[in-house]
Amino acid sequence: MDKILVIGSSGQIGTELVMELRSLYGAGNVVACDLKASAQEVMESGAFESLDVLDKQKLYEVIKKHNITHVYLLAALLSATAEKNPMFAWKLNMESLFNILELAREGHIKKIYWPSSIAVFGPTTPRLNTPQYTIVEPSTIYGISKQAGERWCEWYFKKYGVDTRSLRYPGLIGWKSAPGGGTTDYAVHIFHEALKTNSYECFLSENTVLPMMYMPDAIRATIEIMDAPSEKIKIRGAYNLAGTSFSPKEIAIEIGKKLPGFQISYNPDFRQQIADSWPASIDDAQAKEDWGWKPQFDLLGITSDMLQHLKQKF
Ligand code: NAD
Ligand code: AKB
């Protein structure tokens, strides 16, 4: 029986991924771990280990203690936070990956999921329908760490046969957990503020179109790529993955249809420059062809579902 370790279980993705993995594979087969305590439902539904992923010895001990076979490595600093603390971002984003890749090379882990991001792309990349293979010159430390991570994953696969799988997530939107310091976080904050104050001041300008995805799609893509037979995974760097694309103005219009009178204002900060360096839309034909990826949620679907769930939560 495979046993799963999710590192970064208290974060935006980890909170939801742990619960979905536990419902699919049994709570006893999914161990959550993070520096800080996870959401109550994660803490109460299965094992949790308090762990610094940079401590390789402790990581090894946790893997052995639970007979872990599969690792989802989600611990990282995201784009906005990483720009403020570049040296630490590089250390965390790279050394965490090296620790897991090395443990796999040594035979202690069978399969690794490590997420990349649309942040691998930069200002010289074609912005519309960005292809899988194109110019990749990221201009953020976060993007540079993701680009390097992709190369390392592919190298460990080719050199040592380590089974690594990765997706270039767009900005992720969900109602269950808060985002952790990225440039696309506005697309989650806007729903919370809309319900609290019927208004929102956006840190990106009104026409900044970015690729986005609803969390249920992202969780499904993550589990689908991990479950796909090895021979179907033709890319061991990271697959382009697309959901939908929209600007702050467009999401505000959708929210306004559900919450009449909703007001948005714009006060762009340093994150505008990061957003301007990223694609507006992504071509994910390769993921569709290789392992059958298909997104479900568009902007309308995301807006309805977010508001419905957040209203209940509040
Ligand atoms: P997050 O910031 O919400 O969560 C990261 C978690 O890692 C946090 O709970 C944090 O406490 C934990 N962590 C940090 N340092 C740690 C350490 N040393 N040891 C153990 N745990 C540690 O991030 P997220 O949004 O859930 O993203 C997860 C991964 O997905 C990251 O690699 C991120 O780059 C990638 N990604 C996310 C998005 C998105 O929109 N959320 C988009 C593209 C890629
Ligand atoms: C961020 O904005 O940093 C993340 C990402 C797209 O990688 N959401």
Side-chain angles (χ1 to χ4, degrees), residues 222-246:
T222 306
I223 294 172
E224 280 177 11
I225 194 177
M226 279 295 267
D227 282 352
S230 190
E231 64 276 9
K232 288 203 180 264
I233 308 301
K234 307 229 168 72
I235 295 175
R236 296 293 179 156
Y239 278 91
N240 274 9
L241 191 73
T244 183
S245 284
F246 56 78

PDB file of all heavy atoms in Angstrom, residues 222-246:
ATOM      1  N   THR A 222      -3.533  17.498  -9.921  1.00  0.00           N
ATOM      2  CA  THR A 222      -2.398  17.010  -9.118  1.00  0.00           C
ATOM      3  C   THR A 222      -2.502  15.500  -8.905  1.00  0.00           C
ATOM      4  O   THR A 222      -1.523  14.753  -9.087  1.00  0.00           O
ATOM      5  CB  THR A 222      -2.394  17.733  -7.753  1.00  0.00           C
ATOM      6  OG1 THR A 222      -2.395  19.141  -7.987  1.00  0.00           O
ATOM      7  CG2 THR A 222      -1.198  17.348  -6.914  1.00  0.00           C
ATOM      8  N   ILE A 223      -3.696  15.058  -8.541  1.00  0.00           N
ATOM      9  CA  ILE A 223      -3.873  13.625  -8.264  1.00  0.00           C
ATOM     10  C   ILE A 223      -3.856  12.832  -9.575  1.00  0.00           C
ATOM     11  O   ILE A 223      -3.283  11.733  -9.640  1.00  0.00           O
ATOM     12  CB  ILE A 223      -5.157  13.408  -7.426  1.00  0.00           C
ATOM     13  CG1 ILE A 223      -4.940  14.060  -6.045  1.00  0.00           C
ATOM     14  CG2 ILE A 223      -5.479  11.922  -7.292  1.00  0.00           C
ATOM     15  CD1 ILE A 223      -6.154  14.119  -5.160  1.00  0.00           C
ATOM     16  N   GLU A 224      -4.413  13.420 -10.633  1.00  0.00           N
ATOM     17  CA  GLU A 224      -4.412  12.706 -11.927  1.00  0.00           C
ATOM     18  C   GLU A 224      -2.992  12.509 -12.449  1.00  0.00           C
ATOM     19  O   GLU A 224      -2.661  11.432 -12.955  1.00  0.00           O
ATOM     20  CB  GLU A 224      -5.253  13.477 -12.953  1.00  0.00           C
ATOM     21  CG  GLU A 224      -6.747  13.238 -12.784  1.00  0.00           C
ATOM     22  CD  GLU A 224      -7.617  14.049 -13.734  1.00  0.00           C
ATOM     23  OE1 GLU A 224      -7.086  14.667 -14.683  1.00  0.00           O
ATOM     24  OE2 GLU A 224      -8.842  14.065 -13.504  1.00  0.00           O
ATOM     25  N   ILE A 225      -2.164  13.527 -12.341  1.00  0.00           N
ATOM     26  CA  ILE A 225      -0.798  13.348 -12.873  1.00  0.00           C
ATOM     27  C   ILE A 225      -0.015  12.355 -12.000  1.00  0.00           C
ATOM     28  O   ILE A 225       0.775  11.558 -12.514  1.00  0.00           O
ATOM     29  CB  ILE A 225      -0.033  14.679 -13.050  1.00  0.00           C
ATOM     30  CG1 ILE A 225       1.212  14.444 -13.924  1.00  0.00           C
ATOM     31  CG2 ILE A 225       0.330  15.339 -11.760  1.00  0.00           C
ATOM     32  CD1 ILE A 225       2.021  15.669 -14.246  1.00  0.00           C
ATOM     33  N   MET A 226      -0.287  12.348 -10.702  1.00  0.00           N
ATOM     34  CA  MET A 226       0.406  11.381  -9.844  1.00  0.00           C
ATOM     35  C   MET A 226      -0.073   9.951 -10.106  1.00  0.00           C
ATOM     36  O   MET A 226       0.696   9.008  -9.994  1.00  0.00           O
ATOM     37  CB  MET A 226       0.205  11.751  -8.369  1.00  0.00           C
ATOM     38  CG  MET A 226       1.134  12.840  -7.899  1.00  0.00           C
ATOM     39  SD  MET A 226       2.886  12.351  -7.930  1.00  0.00           S
ATOM     40  CE  MET A 226       3.137  11.753  -6.258  1.00  0.00           C
ATOM     41  N   ASP A 227      -1.342   9.805 -10.460  1.00  0.00           N
ATOM     42  CA  ASP A 227      -1.904   8.462 -10.684  1.00  0.00           C
ATOM     43  C   ASP A 227      -1.655   7.944 -12.100  1.00  0.00           C
ATOM     44  O   ASP A 227      -1.861   6.761 -12.368  1.00  0.00           O
ATOM     45  CB  ASP A 227      -3.418   8.471 -10.418  1.00  0.00           C
ATOM     46  CG  ASP A 227      -3.721   8.436  -8.920  1.00  0.00           C
ATOM     47  OD1 ASP A 227      -2.766   8.255  -8.140  1.00  0.00           O
ATOM     48  OD2 ASP A 227      -4.888   8.593  -8.540  1.00  0.00           O
ATOM     49  N   ALA A 228      -1.259   8.832 -13.016  1.00  0.00           N
ATOM     50  CA  ALA A 228      -1.085   8.406 -14.408  1.00  0.00           C
ATOM     51  C   ALA A 228       0.058   7.390 -14.518  1.00  0.00           C
ATOM     52  O   ALA A 228       1.056   7.494 -13.794  1.00  0.00           O
ATOM     53  CB  ALA A 228      -0.784   9.625 -15.281  1.00  0.00           C
ATOM     54  N   PRO A 229      -0.085   6.388 -15.419  1.00  0.00           N
ATOM     55  CA  PRO A 229       1.024   5.437 -15.606  1.00  0.00           C
ATOM     56  C   PRO A 229       2.284   6.183 -16.037  1.00  0.00           C
ATOM     57  O   PRO A 229       2.204   7.167 -16.777  1.00  0.00           O
ATOM     58  CB  PRO A 229       0.525   4.539 -16.750  1.00  0.00           C
ATOM     59  CG  PRO A 229      -0.922   4.821 -16.911  1.00  0.00           C
ATOM     60  CD  PRO A 229      -1.210   6.160 -16.314  1.00  0.00           C
ATOM     61  N   SER A 230       3.412   5.702 -15.566  1.00  0.00           N
ATOM     62  CA  SER A 230       4.685   6.396 -15.780  1.00  0.00           C
ATOM     63  C   SER A 230       4.948   6.699 -17.259  1.00  0.00           C
ATOM     64  O   SER A 230       5.446   7.771 -17.612  1.00  0.00           O
ATOM     65  CB  SER A 230       5.815   5.548 -15.199  1.00  0.00           C
ATOM     66  OG  SER A 230       6.990   6.272 -15.190  1.00  0.00           O
ATOM     67  N   GLU A 231       4.588   5.752 -18.136  1.00  0.00           N
ATOM     68  CA  GLU A 231       4.909   5.945 -19.562  1.00  0.00           C
ATOM     69  C   GLU A 231       4.118   7.090 -20.190  1.00  0.00           C
ATOM     70  O   GLU A 231       4.480   7.612 -21.234  1.00  0.00           O
ATOM     71  CB  GLU A 231       4.733   4.644 -20.354  1.00  0.00           C
ATOM     72  CG  GLU A 231       3.335   4.085 -20.436  1.00  0.00           C
ATOM     73  CD  GLU A 231       2.928   3.228 -19.221  1.00  0.00           C
ATOM     74  OE1 GLU A 231       3.670   3.203 -18.211  1.00  0.00           O
ATOM     75  OE2 GLU A 231       1.853   2.596 -19.286  1.00  0.00           O
ATOM     76  N   LYS A 232       3.034   7.510 -19.530  1.00  0.00           N
ATOM     77  CA  LYS A 232       2.241   8.636 -20.071  1.00  0.00           C
ATOM     78  C   LYS A 232       2.855   9.986 -19.708  1.00  0.00           C
ATOM     79  O   LYS A 232       2.502  11.013 -20.277  1.00  0.00           O
ATOM     80  CB  LYS A 232       0.810   8.573 -19.537  1.00  0.00           C
ATOM     81  CG  LYS A 232       0.011   7.450 -20.143  1.00  0.00           C
ATOM     82  CD  LYS A 232      -1.476   7.725 -20.048  1.00  0.00           C
ATOM     83  CE  LYS A 232      -2.269   6.587 -20.650  1.00  0.00           C
ATOM     84  NZ  LYS A 232      -2.663   6.781 -22.001  1.00  0.00           N
ATOM     85  N   ILE A 233       3.743   9.993 -18.734  1.00  0.00           N
ATOM     86  CA  ILE A 233       4.342  11.259 -18.300  1.00  0.00           C
ATOM     87  C   ILE A 233       5.585  11.494 -19.154  1.00  0.00           C
ATOM     88  O   ILE A 233       6.675  10.998 -18.843  1.00  0.00           O
ATOM     89  CB  ILE A 233       4.699  11.237 -16.786  1.00  0.00           C
ATOM     90  CG1 ILE A 233       3.486  10.814 -15.962  1.00  0.00           C
ATOM     91  CG2 ILE A 233       5.220  12.599 -16.333  1.00  0.00           C
ATOM     92  CD1 ILE A 233       2.274  11.707 -16.123  1.00  0.00           C
ATOM     93  N   LYS A 234       5.374  12.264 -20.220  1.00  0.00           N
ATOM     94  CA  LYS A 234       6.463  12.451 -21.186  1.00  0.00           C
ATOM     95  C   LYS A 234       7.331  13.652 -20.800  1.00  0.00           C
ATOM     96  O   LYS A 234       8.430  13.810 -21.315  1.00  0.00           O
ATOM     97  CB  LYS A 234       5.873  12.660 -22.580  1.00  0.00           C
ATOM     98  CG  LYS A 234       4.881  11.544 -22.960  1.00  0.00           C
ATOM     99  CD  LYS A 234       5.154  10.980 -24.331  1.00  0.00           C
ATOM    100  CE  LYS A 234       4.386   9.710 -24.585  1.00  0.00           C
ATOM    101  NZ  LYS A 234       2.949   9.891 -24.785  1.00  0.00           N
ATOM    102  N   ILE A 235       6.775  14.526 -19.938  1.00  0.00           N
ATOM    103  CA  ILE A 235       7.534  15.708 -19.514  1.00  0.00           C
ATOM    104  C   ILE A 235       7.873  15.552 -18.039  1.00  0.00           C
ATOM    105  O   ILE A 235       6.975  15.433 -17.202  1.00  0.00           O
ATOM    106  CB  ILE A 235       6.706  16.994 -19.751  1.00  0.00           C
ATOM    107  CG1 ILE A 235       6.484  17.177 -21.247  1.00  0.00           C
ATOM    108  CG2 ILE A 235       7.380  18.208 -19.127  1.00  0.00           C
ATOM    109  CD1 ILE A 235       5.586  18.333 -21.601  1.00  0.00           C
ATOM    110  N   ARG A 236       9.148  15.548 -17.729  1.00  0.00           N
ATOM    111  CA  ARG A 236       9.580  15.383 -16.335  1.00  0.00           C
ATOM    112  C   ARG A 236      10.082  16.684 -15.746  1.00  0.00           C
ATOM    113  O   ARG A 236      10.557  16.725 -14.613  1.00  0.00           O
ATOM    114  CB  ARG A 236      10.644  14.285 -16.239  1.00  0.00           C
ATOM    115  CG  ARG A 236      10.120  12.917 -16.624  1.00  0.00           C
ATOM    116  CD  ARG A 236       9.083  12.422 -15.622  1.00  0.00           C
ATOM    117  NE  ARG A 236       8.547  11.127 -15.992  1.00  0.00           N
ATOM    118  CZ  ARG A 236       8.004  10.277 -15.130  1.00  0.00           C
ATOM    119  NH1 ARG A 236       7.905  10.568 -13.859  1.00  0.00           N
ATOM    120  NH2 ARG A 236       7.517   9.130 -15.545  1.00  0.00           N
ATOM    121  N   GLY A 237      10.036  17.764 -16.563  1.00  0.00           N
ATOM    122  CA  GLY A 237      10.224  19.107 -16.009  1.00  0.00           C
ATOM    123  C   GLY A 237       8.901  19.472 -15.376  1.00  0.00           C
ATOM    124  O   GLY A 237       8.618  19.078 -14.241  1.00  0.00           O
ATOM    125  N   ALA A 238       8.010  20.167 -16.097  1.00  0.00           N
ATOM    126  CA  ALA A 238       6.661  20.431 -15.582  1.00  0.00           C
ATOM    127  C   ALA A 238       5.734  20.727 -16.751  1.00  0.00           C
ATOM    128  O   ALA A 238       6.132  21.370 -17.727  1.00  0.00           O
ATOM    129  CB  ALA A 238       6.669  21.605 -14.614  1.00  0.00           C
ATOM    130  N   TYR A 239       4.482  20.254 -16.621  1.00  0.00           N
ATOM    131  CA  TYR A 239       3.477  20.483 -17.657  1.00  0.00           C
ATOM    132  C   TYR A 239       2.810  21.848 -17.503  1.00  0.00           C
ATOM    133  O   TYR A 239       2.445  22.239 -16.386  1.00  0.00           O
ATOM    134  CB  TYR A 239       2.359  19.441 -17.545  1.00  0.00           C
ATOM    135  CG  TYR A 239       2.670  18.111 -18.187  1.00  0.00           C
ATOM    136  CD1 TYR A 239       3.258  17.083 -17.451  1.00  0.00           C
ATOM    137  CD2 TYR A 239       2.351  17.871 -19.517  1.00  0.00           C
ATOM    138  CE1 TYR A 239       3.520  15.851 -18.033  1.00  0.00           C
ATOM    139  CE2 TYR A 239       2.616  16.641 -20.104  1.00  0.00           C
ATOM    140  CZ  TYR A 239       3.199  15.635 -19.362  1.00  0.00           C
ATOM    141  OH  TYR A 239       3.458  14.415 -19.942  1.00  0.00           O
ATOM    142  N   ASN A 240       2.617  22.552 -18.623  1.00  0.00           N
ATOM    143  CA  ASN A 240       1.685  23.687 -18.646  1.00  0.00           C
ATOM    144  C   ASN A 240       0.310  23.193 -18.236  1.00  0.00           C
ATOM    145  O   ASN A 240      -0.104  22.087 -18.638  1.00  0.00           O
ATOM    146  CB  ASN A 240       1.565  24.252 -20.067  1.00  0.00           C
ATOM    147  CG  ASN A 240       2.641  25.270 -20.392  1.00  0.00           C
ATOM    148  OD1 ASN A 240       3.578  25.460 -19.631  1.00  0.00           O
ATOM    149  ND2 ASN A 240       2.490  25.931 -21.538  1.00  0.00           N
ATOM    150  N   LEU A 241      -0.410  24.022 -17.476  1.00  0.00           N
ATOM    151  CA  LEU A 241      -1.753  23.657 -17.018  1.00  0.00           C
ATOM    152  C   LEU A 241      -2.625  24.909 -17.070  1.00  0.00           C
ATOM    153  O   LEU A 241      -2.238  25.937 -16.513  1.00  0.00           O
ATOM    154  CB  LEU A 241      -1.671  23.139 -15.575  1.00  0.00           C
ATOM    155  CG  LEU A 241      -2.913  22.485 -15.017  1.00  0.00           C
ATOM    156  CD1 LEU A 241      -3.122  21.100 -15.631  1.00  0.00           C
ATOM    157  CD2 LEU A 241      -2.812  22.358 -13.499  1.00  0.00           C
ATOM    158  N   ALA A 242      -3.774  24.812 -17.729  1.00  0.00           N
ATOM    159  CA  ALA A 242      -4.639  25.998 -17.846  1.00  0.00           C
ATOM    160  C   ALA A 242      -6.035  25.720 -17.317  1.00  0.00           C
ATOM    161  O   ALA A 242      -6.558  24.611 -17.460  1.00  0.00           O
ATOM    162  CB  ALA A 242      -4.724  26.437 -19.305  1.00  0.00           C
ATOM    163  N   GLY A 243      -6.602  26.734 -16.693  1.00  0.00           N
ATOM    164  CA  GLY A 243      -8.006  26.692 -16.290  1.00  0.00           C
ATOM    165  C   GLY A 243      -8.736  27.753 -17.076  1.00  0.00           C
ATOM    166  O   GLY A 243      -9.328  27.506 -18.116  1.00  0.00           O
ATOM    167  N   THR A 244      -8.629  29.002 -16.593  1.00  0.00           N
ATOM    168  CA  THR A 244      -9.259  30.127 -17.267  1.00  0.00           C
ATOM    169  C   THR A 244      -8.330  31.331 -17.131  1.00  0.00           C
ATOM    170  O   THR A 244      -7.290  31.226 -16.480  1.00  0.00           O
ATOM    171  CB  THR A 244     -10.642  30.393 -16.631  1.00  0.00           C
ATOM    172  OG1 THR A 244     -11.291  31.447 -17.322  1.00  0.00           O
ATOM    173  CG2 THR A 244     -10.526  30.763 -15.161  1.00  0.00           C
ATOM    174  N   SER A 245      -8.682  32.467 -17.762  1.00  0.00           N
ATOM    175  CA  SER A 245      -7.881  33.691 -17.618  1.00  0.00           C
ATOM    176  C   SER A 245      -8.834  34.867 -17.475  1.00  0.00           C
ATOM    177  O   SER A 245      -9.874  34.901 -18.134  1.00  0.00           O
ATOM    178  CB  SER A 245      -7.016  33.931 -18.859  1.00  0.00           C
ATOM    179  OG  SER A 245      -5.911  33.067 -18.882  1.00  0.00           O
ATOM    180  N   PHE A 246      -8.489  35.802 -16.587  1.00  0.00           N
ATOM    181  CA  PHE A 246      -9.330  37.004 -16.445  1.00  0.00           C
ATOM    182  C   PHE A 246      -8.521  38.109 -15.779  1.00  0.00           C
ATOM    183  O   PHE A 246      -7.454  37.866 -15.205  1.00  0.00           O
ATOM    184  CB  PHE A 246     -10.606  36.686 -15.647  1.00  0.00           C
ATOM    185  CG  PHE A 246     -10.351  36.093 -14.298  1.00  0.00           C
ATOM    186  CD1 PHE A 246      -9.958  36.868 -13.213  1.00  0.00           C
ATOM    187  CD2 PHE A 246     -10.491  34.718 -14.110  1.00  0.00           C
ATOM    188  CE1 PHE A 246      -9.720  36.300 -11.977  1.00  0.00           C
ATOM    189  CE2 PHE A 246     -10.237  34.140 -12.865  1.00  0.00           C
ATOM    190  CZ  PHE A 246      -9.861  34.941 -11.798  1.00  0.00           C
TER     191      PHE A 246
END
